[in-house]
Amino acid sequence: MSKCGRERNKKVLQFENVAFSYHDKKQGRSVPVLQNINIDMYDREFIAIIGPSGSGKSTLFRLISGLENPDEGRIFINGEVQKCRLGKVGYMPQQDLLMPWRTVIENAALPLELKGVRKEEAHKQILPLLEEFGLRGMEHRFPHELSGGMKQRVSFLRTSLSGSNVLLLDEPFSALDAITRLSMQEWLMNQWEKRKATIVLVTHDVSEALFLADRIFIFTERPVRSLQEVNVPLGRPRRLNDLNEPAIISLKNDLIEQLRGKVIT
């Protein structure tokens, strides 16, 4: 049983002997990124992925989301091989990508509209969620009227409304100032605790990974042949002060040293 009390019995995301290469036009050859990767992620886990720039983290997300397909191997979502994975998982990119001509409620409604839900019905479903997401009274505001943290809340709400139980978050707080980022980390944890979803977070912030995740996967080589896995030795609920525990400080320092030694240029 994991530290957060969730049994690892239902796999929601699996990579089975997955390999992927991209074509380098300058060199005129294929460059391997992943080689025979095997990953299991479980129901309602919070997974963090860390690694130096260029190590393959974004490639992993592109494969999960269906923007790329593996050269070899299979990818399972909720126990089924999904050859076409577009729309099968929720995806929140680094930038909020809110449509500037749409209000908060109209931006949040986009995934429901794409499923054919009528505009009025979509708004009816979203209105009760606005207070929970800290957006009460903001439904008719446009993105330029929102703070950075509020924009990310709208983006996460939109991602949650994808209907998937697997949510991919690609450095969602990297553009925020330090204080807002800490506040958003606490908010995200609270949202995750309320929802029946598995979250996979890419981050360059080791402290963020330790605070949020049950397990951390580390990219340490290129091409990636295996992912080092670390179980975070913290129970739940958590507080930011838990990061000051001696064991966590030691683990943080170890992870930083690993990443410093694997910078990819």
Side-chain angles (χ1 to χ4, degrees):
M1 182 172 289
S2 68
K3 288 285 183 180
C4 60
R6 297 178 175 88
E7 293 184 8
R8 291 185 181 176
N9 56 3
K10 180 183 176 183
K11 297 177 182 179
V12 298
L13 182 61
Q14 298 165 265
F15 275 38
E16 183 182 273
N17 299 318
V18 170
F20 178 82
S21 301
Y22 73 90
H23 182 71
D24 189 317
K25 294 182 178 179
K26 291 183 178 179
Q27 298 184 36
R29 65 182 181 90
S30 292
V31 178
V33 180
L34 307 177
Q35 292 186 342
N36 298 318
I37 292 296
N38 292 280
I39 303 173
D40 292 328
M41 299 183 188
Y42 297 86
D43 185 41
R44 297 195 66 196
E45 270 199 303
F46 202 125
I47 300 292
I49 297 174
I50 61 175
S53 297
S55 57
K57 303 186 300 299
S58 295
T59 296
L60 187 75
F61 263 27
R62 291 179 67 83
L63 286 165
I64 295 172
S65 64
L67 294 173
E68 301 283 2
N69 285 306
D71 301 328
E72 299 176 11
R74 300 188 295 175
I75 298 174
F76 296 78
I77 297 177
N78 294 313
E80 298 182 0
V81 177
Q82 301 285 351
K83 293 184 178 179
C84 180
R85 295 176 301 287
L86 290 172
K88 300 293 185 181
V89 300
Y91 178 63
M92 179 177 173
Q94 292 183 34
Q95 304 299 321
D96 57 73
L97 298 185
L98 299 179
M99 297 178 179
W101 60 88
R102 280 186 169 231
T103 62
V104 165
I105 196 167
E106 290 169 342
N107 268 290
L110 185 59
L112 298 178
E113 292 176 20
L114 291 175
K115 293 177 183 177
V117 179
R118 292 174 58 248
K119 180 179 179 180
E120 294 78 10
E121 178 60 29
H123 290 191
K124 185 178 179 181
Q125 291 182 37
I126 292 167
L127 278 172
L129 296 173
L130 293 179
E131 183 168 2
E132 182 179 343
F133 278 74
L135 296 166
R136 183 180 180 182
M138 303 290 178
E139 55 265 34
H140 301 304
R141 293 195 180 184
F142 290 91
H144 74 271
E145 300 177 283
L146 305 178
S147 67
M150 285 183 179
K151 289 178 183 178
Q152 293 305 85
R153 289 172 189 243
V154 179
S155 183
F156 185 71
L157 172 56
R158 184 173 61 185
T159 302
S160 300
L161 290 169
S162 67
S164 174
N165 64 332
V166 179
L167 306 180
L168 309 180
L169 312 184
D170 189 358
E171 297 192 72
F173 308 140
S174 60
L176 302 179
D177 64 84
I179 299 301
T180 303
R181 182 169 186 152
L182 292 175
S183 175
M184 289 301 297
Q185 289 169 4
E186 292 179 310
W187 176 83
L188 175 61
M189 181 178 290
N190 290 333
Q191 291 299 318
W192 169 72
E193 289 283 2
K194 295 176 184 177
R195 301 176 188 284
K196 297 178 180 179
T198 296
I199 289 182
V200 187
L201 168 77
V202 164
T203 180
H204 280 97
D205 187 334
V206 174
S207 293
E208 183 170 84
L210 288 167
F211 177 58
L212 292 171
D214 298 314
R215 289 189 292 159
I216 300 173
F217 290 151
I218 309 164
F219 281 72
T220 58
E221 59 183 352
R222 178 74 176 268
V224 180
R225 297 178 178 84
S226 64
L227 292 178
Q228 182 181 343
E229 177 185 326
V230 172
N231 287 291
V232 178
L234 285 175
R236 296 189 187 276
R238 294 179 186 173
R239 301 171 303 163
L240 284 168
N241 284 341
D242 292 337
L243 296 179
N244 296 324
E245 293 185 8
I248 300 302
I249 292 174
S250 177
L251 178 55
K252 175 184 174 180
N253 291 336
D254 288 344
L255 292 173
I256 290 173
E257 283 302 310
Q258 286 187 52
L259 296 180
R260 286 180 62 188
K262 297 291 182 179
V263 174
I264 296 175
T265 59

